[in-house]
Amino acid sequence: MSRLRRLAVLAAATVIPALGLTLAGTTQASAAPNFQVPFKCGVTVTAATFSGHSPANSVDFQKSGITGMPVLASAGGTVSRVANEGSTSYGRWVEIDHGGGWTTRYAHLSTQSVSVGQAVSLGKQIGTAGATGGVTGPHLHFEERLNGTAQKAKLNGVAVPYYGHTNFTSKNSCGGNPYEATEVCGSGFSVVDSQSLANGSGTAYLLYNSSTKSNCVTTLKAVSLGTASPVSAFLEVQGSARTTDSGSFTYYAGPVKKTAASTCVKWGGSVGANAYESPFEHCD
């Protein structure tokens, strides 16, 4: 998982998009926001991707009874387009500018509930799903765009498979850190130890991959979520130098990975002034 997604978005894009999208200035790209499934917390939808989709890398969210379901902002930003193409193309659609060249589009809406220039936070309802425009059935057409070009979508840090039909359960505005330690460290890692940090500020995790004999440490914040603030994670294999990831991040520090089969490790992390450091342990 790319740690760039945790960095604060620094630059705001000045974009005046149409269906063919024309940029009104040169925008420096920055890290993508942590885009979320654009439906309410706990709702499971099918993300459909297919060859020949226009534009490429778009996602169609499908679900029985989707018509009228609230559609939510997948990340915070400013509404840059509210349009109605009638019975063609996108139909009723909304675009949100997230800064740094990143925008999202939500199409085939049955209703729109925001206006151009309106600031929206993650999870803000922007309309309801429907079947307007050139469609054969109700669904939500969704795009994550960088400088006007649709990118392969990621939802809560998980890449949407191309091509296929994959179920995603929304964590949009569920509360708490949207990441899990196993997501940060990646496939094959399981949590073997964890330590809550003082004042409920976060949790440091030690994970292990039995196939690769690798350890992984990450510290997940529980405060100032979505805002860059000091957080760190470290891992030290006995007899080797310590490796630390630290900085101002929005959700977590790490992953810090080292191979350590049958060797003791020292691990820990911090959120703000609240820190934990283990003794050398987990030597098996």
Side-chain angles (χ1 to χ4, degrees):
M1 178 178 296
S2 171
R3 62 189 291 268
L4 289 177
R5 288 196 300 276
R6 298 172 286 129
L7 302 176
V9 175
L10 301 178
T14 303
V15 182
I16 306 176
L19 285 177
L21 193 66
T22 300
L23 293 181
T26 300
T27 303
Q28 183 178 1
S30 67
N34 181 29
F35 293 120
Q36 299 293 304
V37 175
F39 292 94
K40 286 187 174 181
C41 175
V43 170
T44 299
V45 289
T46 300
T49 57
F50 52 89
S51 178
H53 206 168
S54 180
N57 299 328
S58 303
V59 176
D60 282 353
F61 287 112
Q62 304 171 345
K63 182 177 178 66
S64 176
I66 196 172
T67 299
M69 286 180 54
V71 174
L72 313 184
S74 63
T78 302
V79 177
S80 51
R81 188 70 180 264
V82 178
N84 185 356
E85 308 297 331
S87 61
T88 64
S89 188
Y90 286 169
R92 293 182 179 272
W93 62 285
V94 170
E95 181 178 76
I96 300 175
D97 181 351
H98 305 284
W102 287 97
T103 58
T104 48
R105 289 187 176 186
Y106 314 75
H108 309 313
L109 301 172
S110 57
T111 64
Q112 298 145 298
S113 54
V114 290
S115 56
V116 173
Q118 179 178 343
V120 294
S121 58
L122 168 66
K124 168 70 176 177
Q125 182 171 337
I126 61 173
T128 54
T132 60
V135 298
T136 57
H139 65 275
L140 176 68
H141 175 97
F142 176 75
E143 301 170 27
E144 297 175 4
R145 289 182 163 233
L146 176 60
N147 293 333
T149 301
Q151 308 295 303
K152 287 189 174 181
K154 293 182 179 179
L155 300 168
N156 194 32
V158 178
V160 175
Y162 288 78
Y163 300 101
H165 291 68
T166 308
N167 287 343
F168 282 83
T169 299
S170 177
K171 296 183 180 180
N172 196 328
S173 300
C174 291
N177 195 314
Y179 288 99
E180 297 178 0
T182 49
E183 289 180 283
V184 176
C185 288
S187 177
F189 282 93
S190 299
V191 174
V192 295
D193 207 345
S194 64
Q195 178 64 48
S196 297
L197 303 179
N199 301 315
S201 56
T203 304
Y205 292 90
L206 174 67
L207 296 86
Y208 187 69
N209 185 320
S210 58
S211 296
T212 62
K213 311 302 182 184
S214 294
N215 293 269
C216 178
V217 177
T218 181
T219 302
L220 272 59
K221 295 167 53 178
V223 296
S224 301
L225 294 173
T227 301
S229 62
V231 57
S232 71
F234 77 86
L235 176 60
E236 181 180 345
V237 177
Q238 194 165 30
S240 301
R242 176 177 299 191
T243 299
T244 302
D245 180 39
S246 64
S248 290
F249 303 133
T250 51
Y251 292 101
Y252 62 84
V256 180
K257 298 179 180 180
K258 283 182 172 292
T259 301
S262 303
T263 307
C264 303
V265 296
K266 184 181 289 188
W267 61 281
S270 65
V271 175
N274 304 302
Y276 170 74
E277 179 172 323
S278 79
F280 281 111
E281 58 185 4
H282 298 288
C283 304
D284 297 333

